[in-house]
Amino acid sequence: MSRLCLALLVVLLFLLGCKSQNQNLMIVKELNSNWEFSEKDSVNWLPAKVPGCVHTDLLANGKIEDPFYRLNEHDLQWIDKKDWIYKTEFDLDQNFLKKDRLVLDFKGLDTYADVYLNDQEVLSADNMFREWTVDVKKYLKTGKNKLKVEFRSPINEGLKLYDANGFVYPGAENDQAELGQVEGNKRVSIYTRKAGYHYGWDWGPRLVSSGIWRPICLKAWDNARIKDLQIVQNEVSEDLARFTAILELEAEQEVLAGIQIQNDGMDLATSEVQLKKGNHTYELDFDIKNPKLWWPNGLGDQILYNIKAQVNINGKKEDASHRIGIRTIEVVREKDEKGTSFFFRVNGIPVFMKGANYIPNDIFPSRVSKEQLKKVIATAKKSNMNMLRVWGGGYYEDDLFYDLCDEAGILVWQDFMFACAMYPGDQEFLNNVKLEARDNIKRLRNHPSIALWCGNNEILVAWHNWGWKRQAKEQGEEVSAKVWKAYADIFHEVLPKAVETYDPSRFYWSSSPSSGTGIKPDLINGDDHYWGVWWGKEPFETYATHIARFMSEYGFQSFPEMKSVRKYAEPKDYDIYSGVMKSHQRSSIGNETIEYYMLKDYKKPKDFESFLYVNHVLQAEGIKFALEGHRRAMPYCMGSLYWQINDCWPVASWSSTDYYQEWKALQYYVKKGFEPLLVSPYFENDSIKVAVVNDHLKEIKAKLVMRVLDFYGKEKWSESKDITICKNSSEVFFSQELKSFLQNRNPNRELFLVEVQMGEEVLERNILYFNPVKDLELPQPNVEFEITKGEEVYEISLTSDVLAKNLFFTLGDEDGFFSDNYFDVLAGESVNIKLETELSLAEIKKVIQLRTLDTTFE
């Protein structure tokens, strides 16, 4: 090739490259690198990570110790009283600057933040939950640009608002102001639109941080941009689904634009429109033929459609896309002979909601990894859940969380971020809430997983039942009226109007629990949070009798397992009443209540590690009463969401997986308790009964086989019957007076085994013991097991000569996941489970251990 040809080719490639670059209406530059931070008025600058926060940056630079280790949290309360500065520099060329519009986009600033660009203040933010954008073209220049964010102390800002208010709002008892060394122990959290759990909770630490907690970018565009894309499902049938794509476009001038809607590259609709200057919406209708429905986990597939909108102006384009699921969902509130129903109807089918409450995975949100989010949603799916409730004291989760729920078939009960406190009602606060709601509804509304918007957590019930109304009245009738007006303004006006404006097809529920807007819970008309077990020290059995139309909270505590405890404590701390264990327990009645319930049903464990193990079994057995009782009560009760699936730090809490995402016994019990087919033996009104619950959308013909066995495997009684289990139903198939059933029985040495069988296959089984474990005469089993390497996992086959109760495998401090754990092995029974681990077979054999309940006591 000649030099001339080569030169021409280079020029042509350059021009093609320029053309390619210029085809986009918008270009985006991320500004998440090269950050430094410092305490205000200090000359010591340190490297910072964005997204991040002050605490994680101090930790990364070795300026503080791990806040989770032992009592370190207590020594870090000075951080939130300081102001902090973050700064970076970035380069821009003339091509970027000549765009029509340049906007700084902050996905999340926590919380009181003043932003300076080239030494000019461009933004003052005051809400962690909002996205902040600001026009900055006039402040930018070619070459190096300086960006600085100054964070004011959320405590100092809160104190100003607290002192100026003139009275004290009731609630906010979880604001651990005393631990936080706040002036006068003032609970200031309610004044700041920031995650409430940062100030402490009865399962969380007090670490009130500041920082750039979500990404920053600089956006530049010509002509127009797609500001938002909403996909509205109008109707759906077996043959056709009809939609409207609503594009919010921001145009710099009147201009002709082509708009195209596609599904996976296939055109669905096209249009030419004359854009008006400014923000305006434009609608395009489109159809999808023979639509495939999106179903909750356990009822069908999660089919997702990739809908893309493209705007074309003079050959320059911009895209916006969302994945949607085609489905209908209703919250059904119908009068019946007992009250008013509260259930979710999905694709025309009443669906019992099985799941848990979900809190943030870390006290520092920016530290939550994609892998953590994937693991918690995988745990929910694997555990047969179909709903998670994103609780109102954390934050609106990252987009990935909802993407994963879409993929897994996990519906989301989405709280707005208000929990356990009365909030201000001044106009500035209300306007802030209105914009916060707008931002998050618009961000999340296209996800098929979003099932419901809920105004707040427990505020209504606390006002009426926890003494808050009285506390307000003690400060004057005018104070009480003002506090309630603020509540009504936020939860009866601002938030429902925001849902009606931005997501009108979805249901809004003003407070959980409640029986309707402004109506406190009564068990017959709405949802309920039941804490008689735990706070009221009522027996576990009441879980099966205290039942509302939807049980959206209940729970019981446990410590993490020993492997996890070793990560945050030393051997000298291994006592539930040590300073470290009491600090890693934030319930005011915590460790004493665990012990109280334990000694009701179990003998005293012989040592600390045994206590943790028995505590896990205790929690799981207790919640088992609730899971099964709620499901047996369908269709009266149509939801069971226990508190809680996860933790934000290593702590004794109500979680079923600990901070390190280790499964407790409860998670294994939940997996079984939420199986689509459940057989449930239970005691009720001096009778022994067996119910079968079937979530499948087809009837099942099977055999119910019931046996009484002694702990050594001898059959003492048996009965079987052919049964037809109706679809989506709960039915009792066996009932007998307990006194006659136990005649000639030894309840301390025998158990009741029930199975649903189809041919030779056991579809489902369950075991019921007649007495508390402390009264059982448990034998000492000889458990033999063999480990073999499978294609992807290890197979463990085991057998026991006599009953082995709550068999628990562990790999010591090594990582691994057992497909089942804390289970009972009957005499002579062969059981096979799987183990996922990176360890070799030789390494597994060195570290694997098992224990059973009989070894736990003296």
Side-chain angles (χ1 to χ4, degrees), residues 133-255:
T133 60
V134 58
D135 282 287
V136 292
K137 180 166 183 172
K138 65 181 179 181
Y139 304 108
L140 292 167
K141 58 185 181 182
T142 305
K144 202 168 292 297
N145 290 265
K146 297 185 294 182
L147 179 61
K148 181 175 68 172
V149 184
E150 294 190 359
F151 290 97
R152 307 192 305 280
S153 159
I155 303 303
N156 295 339
E157 293 298 315
L159 282 169
K160 293 176 190 175
L161 295 166
Y162 183 103
D163 291 341
N165 191 58
F167 63 87
V168 178
Y169 283 91
E173 288 92 348
N174 289 296
D175 183 333
Q176 299 165 13
E178 185 174 359
L179 185 153
Q181 302 163 29
V182 179
E183 169 198 316
N185 296 332
K186 297 172 181 176
R187 295 170 177 159
V188 302
S189 56
I190 63 165
Y191 293 97
T192 299
R193 292 309 296 147
K194 174 177 172 62
Y197 82 114
H198 286 172
Y199 297 81
W201 217 267
D202 58 4
W203 37 257
R206 182 185 176 91
L207 293 163
V208 188
S209 201
S210 296
I212 303 166
W213 74 290
R214 279 180 169 157
I216 307 173
C217 62
L218 181 63
K219 296 178 177 179
W221 68 88
D222 288 324
N223 297 312
R225 66 155 174 160
I226 303 175
K227 196 171 183 181
D228 185 69
L229 169 64
Q230 181 184 10
I231 308 298
V232 177
Q233 179 180 298
N234 300 315
E235 58 181 282
V236 59
S237 67
E238 188 175 336
D239 301 324
L240 193 69
R242 296 188 179 278
F243 298 87
T244 300
I246 304 176
L247 287 85
E248 183 181 354
L249 302 181
E250 185 176 11
E252 302 310 303
Q253 64 271 324
E254 290 191 7
V255 63

Side-chain angles (χ1 to χ4, degrees), residues 268-301:
L268 297 173
T270 59
S271 178
E272 276 199 353
V273 295
Q274 185 72 28
L275 301 186
K276 301 174 186 176
K277 185 176 181 180
N279 281 336
H280 296 279
T281 58
Y282 305 86
E283 299 184 1
L284 273 78
D285 294 327
F286 66 91
D287 298 338
I288 293 178
K289 295 179 180 179
N290 303 314
K292 295 180 180 179
L293 297 183
W294 182 97
W295 287 94
N297 183 33
L299 292 181
D301 295 327

Side-chain angles (χ1 to χ4, degrees), residues 38 137 160 330 397 432 439 454 489 552 576 578 636 702 705 728 836:
S38 172
K137 180 166 183 172
K160 293 176 190 175
E330 309 160 76
E397 264 294 345
N432 207 348
D439 287 359
C454 180
D489 284 346
S552 46
I576 66 166
S578 71
Y636 178 82
V705 178
N728 206 15
E836 299 173 32

Side-chain angles (χ1 to χ4, degrees), residues 526-538:
D527 72 320
D528 193 52
H529 296 186
Y530 175 55
W531 288 103
V533 174
W534 185 260
W535 291 106
K537 291 190 169 61
E538 295 176 6

